[in-house]
Amino acid sequence: MRDMLLIALFAFLGAATAGALGACVLLLIRRRSLIAHLAVVAGVAVAAMLAGTLAVAQAMFLSAHDLSVVTTVVAMAAVVSTVTALLLGRWVVARSRELALAARSFGDGGDFAAPERPSTAELAALSRELEATSVKLAESRDRERALESSRRELVAWISHDLRTPLAGLRAMAEALEDGVAAEPDRYLRQIRTEVERLNDMVGDLFELSRIHAGTLPLSLSRISLYDLIGDALAGADPLAREHGVRLVGDRVEPVPVEVDGREMSRVLGNLLVNAIRRTPADGTVAVSARRSDEGVVLSVTDGCGGIPEEDLPRVFDTGWRGTHARTPPGGAGLGLAIVRGIVEAHRGSAAVRNVTGGCRFEVTLPATDG
């Protein structure tokens, strides 16, 4: 038993010495190729076995012949191990280079295509992660391009919409200043109307900027949709009468919701104004609210004649106003974008679809128990 312990001790000391030297070598070449690292690891394994064998041979006083036999066997093992490590290292390095070239392609703005040849499990996992990242980057680039296009359109439309009232205000102010205005009171009323229009446009821009920045403050409270819709219909009634449009709200369930009353009133107001302006005279705008599996669904249906299918995905985009025939006077294309932003801030969703004779805007809000 004592001899076996001594043999184990001498073998451990010899192997540990070789392992320590190998660790030092790996530390020195830590920035070198993977092939060099694998070669050192294989060499350390063989050297540890040889060092342990020599230590035991010296302690056990083996004959020179036996020692040479053991040394020859270990040397052959070293050669085979080193060659195998080099071949494995070259294969792994080749797969790694293929993966690096593929990764460089989507880093330059392209799509990542995983190498077709087989690789190690770790490289395969890394390839899958890079592929998923490539998809996310492509989606992000598409969103960025869409947002940039939307911003450019918004700036162009806002510039146009601001130029017209500002030119009118300037002309009326000059006429009043020069004393050539035939009806000063009418000019003053028109100036006030244009100022209110500009003020509404600036307010919409400010609201939209807070929505995009994620800083829209919400003061949630429990409100009945019946009361919320009733107030919105009362507020939109003068505009409906002016356009000869009937407002209908007879399919409204008194379901409670947890919302910011002021912001949701703005949502309803924007949807109703949008529907009234796009519905011809003697048309009808209907409002309803009901429970569903998704939550509470509030819908506004107009008689606009429908929206082209290709435009439906863009209806809630910032600055979208459709064709010129559907563009309401003074609109900057911000109302529906504000609707979507406020609804999403309430953890809800906004959608639109065509129905017979018009389109239906639906706002889905989380249901409230009770």
Short mmCIF file of all heavy atoms in Angstrom, two decimals, residues 191-220:
data_model
loop_
_atom_site.label_atom_id
_atom_site.label_comp_id
_atom_site.label_asym_id
_atom_site.label_seq_id
_atom_site.Cartn_x
_atom_site.Cartn_y
_atom_site.Cartn_z
N ILE A 191 -58.16 86.25 -37.86
CA ILE A 191 -56.84 86.12 -37.24
C ILE A 191 -56.92 85.22 -36.02
O ILE A 191 -56.05 84.35 -35.82
CB ILE A 191 -56.29 87.52 -36.87
CG1 ILE A 191 -55.88 88.28 -38.12
CG2 ILE A 191 -55.11 87.39 -35.91
CD1 ILE A 191 -55.44 89.71 -37.85
N ARG A 192 -57.96 85.41 -35.21
CA ARG A 192 -58.11 84.57 -34.02
C ARG A 192 -58.30 83.10 -34.42
O ARG A 192 -57.73 82.19 -33.79
CB ARG A 192 -59.29 85.04 -33.19
CG ARG A 192 -59.52 84.21 -31.95
CD ARG A 192 -60.59 84.79 -31.07
NE ARG A 192 -60.78 83.98 -29.87
CZ ARG A 192 -61.61 84.27 -28.89
NH1 ARG A 192 -62.35 85.37 -28.98
NH2 ARG A 192 -61.72 83.49 -27.84
N THR A 193 -59.09 82.85 -35.48
CA THR A 193 -59.31 81.47 -35.93
C THR A 193 -58.00 80.83 -36.38
O THR A 193 -57.71 79.67 -36.04
CB THR A 193 -60.32 81.47 -37.10
OG1 THR A 193 -61.56 82.01 -36.65
CG2 THR A 193 -60.53 80.05 -37.61
N GLU A 194 -57.20 81.59 -37.13
CA GLU A 194 -55.94 81.04 -37.62
C GLU A 194 -54.96 80.80 -36.47
O GLU A 194 -54.22 79.81 -36.47
CB GLU A 194 -55.31 82.00 -38.65
CG GLU A 194 -56.09 82.14 -39.94
CD GLU A 194 -56.17 80.83 -40.71
OE1 GLU A 194 -55.30 79.96 -40.52
OE2 GLU A 194 -57.12 80.67 -41.50
N VAL A 195 -54.97 81.69 -35.48
CA VAL A 195 -54.09 81.51 -34.32
C VAL A 195 -54.48 80.26 -33.55
O VAL A 195 -53.62 79.48 -33.10
CB VAL A 195 -54.11 82.76 -33.42
CG1 VAL A 195 -53.42 82.48 -32.09
CG2 VAL A 195 -53.43 83.93 -34.12
N GLU A 196 -55.78 80.04 -33.36
CA GLU A 196 -56.23 78.83 -32.67
C GLU A 196 -55.85 77.58 -33.45
O GLU A 196 -55.48 76.56 -32.87
CB GLU A 196 -57.75 78.90 -32.47
CG GLU A 196 -58.19 79.94 -31.45
CD GLU A 196 -59.70 80.02 -31.32
OE1 GLU A 196 -60.39 79.39 -32.16
OE2 GLU A 196 -60.19 80.72 -30.41
N ARG A 197 -55.95 77.67 -34.77
CA ARG A 197 -55.55 76.53 -35.60
C ARG A 197 -54.07 76.23 -35.43
O ARG A 197 -53.66 75.07 -35.28
CB ARG A 197 -55.89 76.85 -37.05
CG ARG A 197 -55.45 75.79 -38.05
CD ARG A 197 -55.79 76.28 -39.45
NE ARG A 197 -55.14 75.49 -40.48
CZ ARG A 197 -55.09 75.82 -41.75
NH1 ARG A 197 -55.67 76.94 -42.15
NH2 ARG A 197 -54.48 75.06 -42.63
N LEU A 198 -53.25 77.27 -35.45
CA LEU A 198 -51.81 77.08 -35.25
C LEU A 198 -51.52 76.55 -33.85
O LEU A 198 -50.63 75.70 -33.67
CB LEU A 198 -51.07 78.40 -35.48
CG LEU A 198 -51.03 78.91 -36.92
CD1 LEU A 198 -50.39 80.30 -36.96
CD2 LEU A 198 -50.25 77.96 -37.82
N ASN A 199 -52.26 77.05 -32.86
CA ASN A 199 -52.06 76.58 -31.50
C ASN A 199 -52.39 75.10 -31.38
O ASN A 199 -51.68 74.34 -30.70
CB ASN A 199 -52.93 77.40 -30.55
CG ASN A 199 -52.73 77.00 -29.10
OD1 ASN A 199 -51.67 77.23 -28.52
ND2 ASN A 199 -53.74 76.41 -28.50
N ASP A 200 -53.48 74.66 -32.04
CA ASP A 200 -53.83 73.23 -32.03
C ASP A 200 -52.74 72.40 -32.69
O ASP A 200 -52.41 71.30 -32.21
CB ASP A 200 -55.16 73.01 -32.74
CG ASP A 200 -56.34 73.60 -31.98
OD1 ASP A 200 -56.19 73.84 -30.76
OD2 ASP A 200 -57.40 73.83 -32.60
N MET A 201 -52.19 72.90 -33.77
CA MET A 201 -51.14 72.16 -34.47
C MET A 201 -49.89 72.03 -33.61
O MET A 201 -49.28 70.95 -33.51
CB MET A 201 -50.79 72.87 -35.79
CG MET A 201 -49.92 72.06 -36.72
SD MET A 201 -49.56 72.96 -38.25
CE MET A 201 -51.21 73.24 -38.87
N VAL A 202 -49.50 73.10 -32.93
CA VAL A 202 -48.34 73.05 -32.03
C VAL A 202 -48.62 72.12 -30.86
O VAL A 202 -47.74 71.36 -30.42
CB VAL A 202 -47.98 74.47 -31.54
CG1 VAL A 202 -46.91 74.41 -30.46
CG2 VAL A 202 -47.50 75.32 -32.70
N GLY A 203 -49.84 72.13 -30.35
CA GLY A 203 -50.20 71.22 -29.26
C GLY A 203 -50.10 69.77 -29.68
O GLY A 203 -49.62 68.92 -28.91
N ASP A 204 -50.55 69.48 -30.91
CA ASP A 204 -50.44 68.10 -31.42
C ASP A 204 -48.97 67.69 -31.54
O ASP A 204 -48.61 66.55 -31.21
CB ASP A 204 -51.13 67.98 -32.77
CG ASP A 204 -52.64 67.98 -32.66
OD1 ASP A 204 -53.14 67.78 -31.53
OD2 ASP A 204 -53.32 68.17 -33.68
N LEU A 205 -48.14 68.58 -32.03
CA LEU A 205 -46.71 68.26 -32.15
C LEU A 205 -46.08 68.01 -30.79
O LEU A 205 -45.27 67.09 -30.63
CB LEU A 205 -45.98 69.41 -32.87
CG LEU A 205 -46.20 69.53 -34.37
CD1 LEU A 205 -45.59 70.83 -34.90
CD2 LEU A 205 -45.58 68.34 -35.10
N PHE A 206 -46.46 68.81 -29.80
CA PHE A 206 -45.91 68.63 -28.46
C PHE A 206 -46.36 67.30 -27.87
O PHE A 206 -45.58 66.56 -27.25
CB PHE A 206 -46.34 69.79 -27.56
CG PHE A 206 -45.85 69.68 -26.15
CD1 PHE A 206 -44.50 69.76 -25.86
CD2 PHE A 206 -46.74 69.48 -25.11
CE1 PHE A 206 -44.04 69.66 -24.56
CE2 PHE A 206 -46.29 69.37 -23.81
CZ PHE A 206 -44.93 69.47 -23.53
N GLU A 207 -47.65 66.98 -28.06
CA GLU A 207 -48.17 65.71 -27.56
C GLU A 207 -47.46 64.53 -28.22
O GLU A 207 -47.09 63.56 -27.56
CB GLU A 207 -49.68 65.63 -27.83
CG GLU A 207 -50.35 64.39 -27.31
CD GLU A 207 -50.77 64.51 -25.85
OE1 GLU A 207 -50.37 65.50 -25.20
OE2 GLU A 207 -51.46 63.62 -25.35
N LEU A 208 -47.27 64.64 -29.52
CA LEU A 208 -46.61 63.55 -30.25
C LEU A 208 -45.16 63.40 -29.82
O LEU A 208 -44.64 62.28 -29.73
CB LEU A 208 -46.70 63.82 -31.76
CG LEU A 208 -46.42 62.64 -32.68
CD1 LEU A 208 -47.45 61.55 -32.45
CD2 LEU A 208 -46.43 63.08 -34.13
N SER A 209 -44.48 64.50 -29.55
CA SER A 209 -43.10 64.41 -29.10
C SER A 209 -43.00 63.73 -27.75
O SER A 209 -42.09 62.94 -27.50
CB SER A 209 -42.48 65.82 -29.03
OG SER A 209 -43.07 66.58 -27.99
N ARG A 210 -43.96 63.99 -26.85
CA ARG A 210 -43.96 63.32 -25.54
C ARG A 210 -44.25 61.83 -25.70
O ARG A 210 -43.67 61.00 -24.99
CB ARG A 210 -44.99 63.96 -24.62
CG ARG A 210 -44.65 65.36 -24.18
CD ARG A 210 -45.46 65.77 -22.97
NE ARG A 210 -46.91 65.74 -23.24
CZ ARG A 210 -47.82 65.96 -22.31
NH1 ARG A 210 -47.47 66.20 -21.06
NH2 ARG A 210 -49.11 65.92 -22.63
N ILE A 211 -45.13 61.48 -26.63
CA ILE A 211 -45.44 60.07 -26.86
C ILE A 211 -44.21 59.34 -27.38
O ILE A 211 -43.85 58.26 -26.90
CB ILE A 211 -46.61 59.94 -27.85
CG1 ILE A 211 -47.92 60.42 -27.20
CG2 ILE A 211 -46.76 58.50 -28.33
CD1 ILE A 211 -49.09 60.50 -28.15
N HIS A 212 -43.54 59.92 -28.37
CA HIS A 212 -42.35 59.27 -28.95
C HIS A 212 -41.22 59.21 -27.93
O HIS A 212 -40.41 58.27 -27.97
CB HIS A 212 -41.90 60.03 -30.20
CG HIS A 212 -42.80 59.81 -31.37
ND1 HIS A 212 -42.70 60.52 -32.54
CD2 HIS A 212 -43.83 58.94 -31.56
CE1 HIS A 212 -43.62 60.11 -33.40
NE2 HIS A 212 -44.32 59.15 -32.83
N ALA A 213 -41.14 60.18 -27.04
CA ALA A 213 -40.07 60.16 -26.03
C ALA A 213 -40.41 59.27 -24.85
O ALA A 213 -39.57 59.05 -23.98
CB ALA A 213 -39.80 61.59 -25.54
N GLY A 214 -41.63 58.75 -24.80
CA GLY A 214 -42.04 57.89 -23.69
C GLY A 214 -42.24 58.65 -22.39
O GLY A 214 -42.13 58.07 -21.31
N THR A 215 -42.54 59.94 -22.49
CA THR A 215 -42.70 60.77 -21.29
C THR A 215 -44.14 61.25 -21.11
O THR A 215 -44.37 62.24 -20.41
CB THR A 215 -41.76 61.98 -21.34
OG1 THR A 215 -42.05 62.77 -22.52
CG2 THR A 215 -40.30 61.54 -21.38
N LEU A 216 -45.09 60.56 -21.76
CA LEU A 216 -46.48 60.98 -21.63
C LEU A 216 -46.99 60.62 -20.24
O LEU A 216 -47.08 59.44 -19.88
CB LEU A 216 -47.33 60.28 -22.69
CG LEU A 216 -48.82 60.63 -22.70
CD1 LEU A 216 -49.01 62.09 -23.10
CD2 LEU A 216 -49.59 59.72 -23.64
N PRO A 217 -47.33 61.60 -19.40
CA PRO A 217 -47.80 61.28 -18.04
C PRO A 217 -49.24 60.80 -18.07
O PRO A 217 -50.09 61.39 -18.74
CB PRO A 217 -47.66 62.62 -17.31
CG PRO A 217 -47.82 63.65 -18.37
CD PRO A 217 -47.27 63.06 -19.64
N LEU A 218 -49.52 59.73 -17.35
CA LEU A 218 -50.87 59.19 -17.28
C LEU A 218 -51.35 59.19 -15.83
O LEU A 218 -50.64 58.74 -14.93
CB LEU A 218 -50.92 57.76 -17.83
CG LEU A 218 -50.61 57.58 -19.32
CD1 LEU A 218 -50.65 56.10 -19.69
CD2 LEU A 218 -51.58 58.38 -20.19
N SER A 219 -52.56 59.69 -15.63
CA SER A 219 -53.19 59.66 -14.31
C SER A 219 -54.39 58.73 -14.41
O SER A 219 -55.49 59.14 -14.81
CB SER A 219 -53.62 61.07 -13.90
OG SER A 219 -54.26 61.04 -12.64
N LEU A 220 -54.19 57.45 -14.09
CA LEU A 220 -55.21 56.43 -14.30
C LEU A 220 -56.29 56.51 -13.22
O LEU A 220 -56.01 56.73 -12.04
CB LEU A 220 -54.58 55.05 -14.30
CG LEU A 220 -53.49 54.80 -15.36
CD1 LEU A 220 -52.96 53.37 -15.24
CD2 LEU A 220 -54.02 55.07 -16.76
#
